[in-house]
Amino acid sequence: MDCIFCKIVAGELPSFKVYEDDETLAFLDIRPVNTGHTLVVSKKHSTNIFDVSQEDWTAVTKVVRALAAVIEKAVSADGININMNNREHAGQVVDHLHVHIIPRFKGDGFKLWHQSAYKEGEAAMVQEKIKAQLV
Ligand code: AMP
Ligand code: ZN
């Protein structure tokens, strides 16, 4: 399979690894939003949140939780964003499951998401749509 993150996991492409265990690998993003920007990937290939096994997802999120604190301290950041892009139109470029750990610094100027407001009755409608999918 022609997957760059599988190649990094296999050691066929170089990376700046910061953590590794049997299920996961964490390495520096090559084009960091801020210094210390790290990607945590599952060693077993899956595309994104929609096809990852619960087992692999649990392994990845466990590492994300632990590394967030480690990275914040290591680069003296003032906070951390955890981000994940799932599918092309959500900004996913590399089709191998990965979670971004992005250090944030006071005054770094990055804005969070644009937010809007629900129209009258809209929130209740969306709530019903989501709940209907749960059954
Ligand atoms: P996404 O948009 O969530 O798919 O993010 C993919 C990320 O992978 C981007 O932030 C890229 O900078 C990063 N990236 C792509 N190729 C490499 C590589 N060879 N080593 C490290 N990071 C990479
Ligand atoms: Zn892969």
Side-chain angles (χ1 to χ4, degrees):
M1 198 193 298
D2 200 26
C3 169
I4 57 169
F5 287 177
C6 277
K7 286 183 177 161
I8 286 175
V9 167
E12 292 163 15
L13 281 177
S15 70
F16 292 93
K17 294 178 189 174
V18 297
Y19 176 81
E20 183 169 14
D21 61 30
D22 288 348
E23 289 89 27
T24 68
L25 176 67
F27 54 91
L28 297 184
D29 193 299
I30 206 157
R31 297 189 65 231
V33 170
N34 269 332
T35 187
H37 181 169
T38 297
L39 303 174
V40 181
V41 310
S42 173
K43 284 190 173 174
K44 207 161 92 202
H45 181 93
S46 58
T47 309
N48 53 35
I49 195 71
F50 299 111
D51 65 341
V52 66
S53 69
Q54 182 59 54
E55 194 185 356
D56 288 345
W57 180 240
T58 298
V60 166
T61 53
K62 194 173 165 193
V63 171
V64 167
R65 179 175 177 274
L67 279 185
V70 168
I71 292 168
E72 186 189 56
K73 202 168 171 192
V75 300
S76 301
D78 301 306
I80 292 279
N81 284 133
I82 304 299
N83 183 53
M84 185 182 190
N85 304 318
N86 297 283
R87 301 201 206 283
E88 179 186 356
H89 295 288
Q92 185 172 11
V93 173
V94 177
D95 286 336
H96 179 125
L97 180 121
H98 58 282
V99 175
H100 296 253
I101 301 176
I102 304 173
R104 296 295 304 275
F105 297 89
K106 187 178 174 192
D108 65 16
F110 299 127
K111 298 272 185 245
L112 293 176
W113 297 93
H114 166 78
Q115 288 180 280
S116 58
Y118 282 117
K119 295 188 192 83
E120 181 72 29
E122 196 185 348
M125 248 168 54
V126 175
Q127 177 190 31
E128 284 314 313
K129 274 190 195 173
I130 294 170
K131 286 169 75 177
Q133 286 294 322
L134 286 173
V135 290

